[in-house]
Amino acid sequence: MKRLTILLLILICFACTVKPDASTIQIKLINNNQSLKITGLNNLIVKDIARDTTSHWESLFPIYRMPADTDLKDYQPAQQGRYIVAANAVIFIPDTPFVKHKTYFIRYYQYGEDNNVWDFIKGKKQPGKIHFIDLIFKP
């Protein structure tokens, strides 16, 4: 009986642990709504990416134009442009300006999120699929 009580106490302690909050990503239009500033990313990751000489930013933070039928969001081509790292933020400057009153979205893939076995068992995650968040904005 004593072992059962200790086991139950340990399980309660593990059930009550607090998960750290995921970083909150913020997007903001700057330069007269012609550029997009992405903040809230992990500073170490941003600095590491800034040192990288490749230009494959669109695979990390792709920006898309919202289609009229939102079921087709996954099939849109990415908005072309330049990505610049400045003061712990990523700035996106599109090749063609954002159109006023049109809706765009940035797809933020959560590569570094903890993979817990219980998330797979509960069906929250599936092997081989990366969770993402779509952040919507209008110029």
Side-chain angles (χ1 to χ4, degrees):
M1 183 70 176
K2 195 174 192 179
R3 287 184 185 176
L4 182 62
T5 307
I6 292 172
L7 180 64
L8 183 62
L9 187 62
I10 290 172
L11 286 175
I12 289 172
C13 289
F14 280 116
C16 294
T17 57
V18 178
K19 284 187 176 180
D21 291 334
S23 60
T24 305
I25 306 301
Q26 294 117 10
I27 54 175
K28 179 178 158 184
L29 288 162
I30 58 172
N31 295 338
N32 208 11
N33 293 342
Q34 296 303 311
S35 301
L36 185 70
K37 183 177 183 180
I38 306 164
T39 58
L41 303 167
N42 186 333
N43 292 337
L44 294 175
I45 293 173
V46 171
K47 288 177 184 177
D48 193 36
I49 292 171
R51 286 185 300 186
D52 193 3
T53 57
T54 62
S55 60
H56 298 290
W57 285 89
E58 58 272 356
S59 64
L60 298 174
F61 311 108
I63 297 171
Y64 303 97
R65 189 177 200 176
M66 184 72 77
D69 183 6
T70 56
D71 291 336
L72 300 175
K73 281 189 343 183
D74 295 337
Y75 304 106
Q76 297 302 306
Q79 179 90 17
Q80 297 297 312
R82 292 187 343 237
Y83 292 85
I84 301 169
V85 176
N88 296 327
V90 176
I91 298 173
F92 173 73
I93 304 167
D95 287 347
T96 57
F98 293 123
V99 179
K100 288 188 181 236
H101 308 294
K102 293 288 182 180
T103 306
Y104 293 84
F105 67 98
I106 179 170
R107 184 157 283 175
Y108 172 61
Y109 289 98
Q110 297 175 326
Y111 291 109
E113 189 175 301
D114 294 333
N115 291 325
N116 189 345
V117 174
W118 290 109
D119 290 339
F120 292 108
I121 292 171
K122 291 178 185 176
K124 291 181 181 177
K125 291 186 180 180
Q126 296 175 353
K129 291 193 177 180
I130 299 173
H131 184 69
F132 59 85
I133 298 172
D134 288 337
L135 303 168
I136 299 170
F137 66 96
K138 277 187 178 182

